[in-house]
Amino acid sequence: TFTTFLAELGFSFLMFLAGLELDFPRMERAGGRNLMLGVVTAVAFFVLSYLLTLVLGQPLFMFLVFGATSVGILLATLAELGMTKTRAGQGAIFVGSVGEFLTIVLLTAVGFYYRYGLSARLLHEMAKLGAIFFAAYLVLVLLRTLIWWWPRSFSRVVAADDPSEVGVRAGLALMLVFVALAALLGVEGILGAFIAGALFSFVFREKGILETKLASIGFGFFVPFFFIWVGTEFDLSSVLDRETPLTVALYLGVSLVTKLLPCFLLMLAGLTLRETIGVGLLLGAPLTLLVAISRIGLDVRVISDAVASAVVLLAVVTGVLLPWACLL
């Protein structure tokens, strides 16, 4: 239906904005040691979540729920507190960015595993996953070359007063191209959208007002359709079930453990104990990605409707409570 189409488009736009949030200049300024520390921390989220999933006897797919990381709520909270330029803020944004990338790639790979099992078809589909990254590399080389030859023409992309809004149209076009490419390759469209956003952010380092314009279009029109669709699909009766709050509490506890313990590695980069706990709490609220994980889990039929509803409820609870908790 047309509503479903708008929801899918809104979902893709949301992932495009997630990729656009990656701050590559800040990553480069962090230094080699801190970069490695951030990568190790992000990887540790998923290693620990996998181990806890096995210990608790949960379906393997649930390690994505427990280890999922996103920068959406993190960025909003840090900006509100004026901490985006601080050492703790920059460390949190980098770890969240790496974690978000890993979450989306793992979600795509695990989706392939549950669809095709350990077979030659799985290797074939994973090759398609590699193909979209190769395509992204080719587009990156092409864009950097074109910008080098015609810098004045490409400066219109990030111009604040361009009446034609070339930057907005270029961003939308790049997103649609990669979503279409992902669909042709049989890869999750959200990965294509995320890669498009990351490419745009890498090529145009000084996005200026352009990022605000794209976010306004996304959150002002397209993205709400996705959340409306999620709301209509949400099983409200499951919330009234006695077991659902207990399930959500368990998921919340495991999610916090998988975020807080690895974040103590950040103390090696000079963060205080309070800053470390605050970073862990903020990284434990991957609102949009939890909704995406629940949706894909239902698509590949590895989680039930009740579990999917619990994951969506977990997304709401963490998105509301954890940003407040980090202020205490």
Side-chain angles (χ1 to χ4, degrees):
T1 64
F2 185 62
T3 303
T4 304
F5 167 75
L6 288 176
E8 293 284 352
L9 184 58
F11 191 20
S12 297
F13 209 114
L14 189 63
M15 291 300 102
F16 173 76
L17 292 175
L20 196 66
E21 287 171 349
L22 299 182
D23 193 337
F24 290 99
R26 179 177 285 131
M27 294 180 190
E28 292 170 355
R29 292 194 300 268
R33 179 176 177 273
N34 289 338
L35 285 177
M36 184 57 65
L37 190 61
V39 172
V40 170
T41 302
V43 171
F45 293 155
F46 290 98
V47 173
L48 186 56
S49 67
Y50 177 76
L51 295 175
L52 289 176
T53 300
L54 295 179
V55 170
L56 296 172
Q58 295 288 323
L60 176 63
F61 186 82
M62 293 302 295
F63 93 95
L64 290 172
V65 173
F66 302 143
T69 310
S70 179
V71 296
I73 289 179
L74 171 74
L75 276 176
T77 305
L78 291 176
E80 185 68 23
L81 297 174
M83 295 180 59
T84 54
K85 302 298 183 182
T86 64
R87 179 176 55 191
Q90 291 182 20
I93 290 170
F94 176 69
V95 173
S97 299
V98 174
E100 186 167 44
F101 176 76
L102 288 176
T103 302
I104 293 175
V105 172
L106 285 172
L107 181 57
T108 304
V110 171
F112 283 153
Y113 170 75
Y114 277 106
R115 285 189 177 97
Y116 309 112
L118 294 175
S119 62
R121 179 68 184 275
L122 176 62
L123 295 177
H124 178 67
E125 297 299 327
M126 292 301 292
K128 292 181 179 179
L129 183 61
I132 196 169
F133 283 106
F134 182 68
Y137 173 75
L138 293 179
V139 172
L140 173 62
V141 172
L142 176 63
L143 287 176
R144 294 299 293 267
T145 302
L146 292 175
I147 290 174
W148 189 81
W149 281 104
W150 295 288
R152 182 172 299 179
S153 298
F154 277 88
S155 65
R156 291 185 59 192
V157 173
V158 293
D161 56 350
D162 181 21
S164 301
E165 297 295 353
V166 172
V168 173
R169 290 189 287 172
L172 288 172
L174 188 64
M175 180 196 76
L176 293 174
V177 166
F178 271 90
V179 170
L181 178 61
L184 288 173
L185 293 173
V187 179
E188 292 292 344
I190 59 173
L191 180 61
F194 182 82
I195 289 175
L199 268 177
F200 204 85
S201 182
F202 186 85
V203 173
F204 301 102
R205 300 298 182 93
E206 301 297 330
K207 297 183 288 292
I209 195 65
L210 176 60
E211 186 173 1
T212 303
K213 291 178 180 179
L214 288 167
S216 299
I217 294 172
F219 291 114
F221 183 74
F222 291 109
V223 175
F225 281 105
F226 170 65
F227 285 107
I228 291 171
W229 180 82
V230 171
T232 59
E233 296 292 314
F234 182 70
D235 184 8
L236 187 60
S237 63
S238 66
V239 179
L240 304 177
D241 191 312
R242 182 179 300 178
E243 294 183 359
T244 301
L246 296 177
T247 302
V248 173
L250 172 65
Y251 292 172
L252 176 61
V254 177
S255 298
L256 286 177
V257 170
T258 59
K259 300 303 188 305
L260 288 173
L261 289 184
C263 279
F264 283 108
L265 292 172
L266 299 177
M267 295 183 71
L268 298 175
L271 269 65
T272 65
L273 177 62
R274 182 174 181 178
E275 289 173 337
T276 300
I277 294 174
V279 169
L281 290 174
L282 286 178
L283 291 174
L287 175 64
T288 54
L289 285 183
L290 284 181
V291 174
I293 290 169
S294 68
R295 176 176 171 273
I296 292 175
L298 282 176
D299 289 344
V300 297
R301 300 178 181 178
V302 294
I303 59 174
S304 64
D305 290 336
V307 173
S309 296
V311 172
V312 173
L313 187 57
L314 173 68
V316 175
V317 171
T318 55
V320 172
L321 295 183
L322 296 188
W324 284 98
C326 77
L327 299 177
L328 299 178

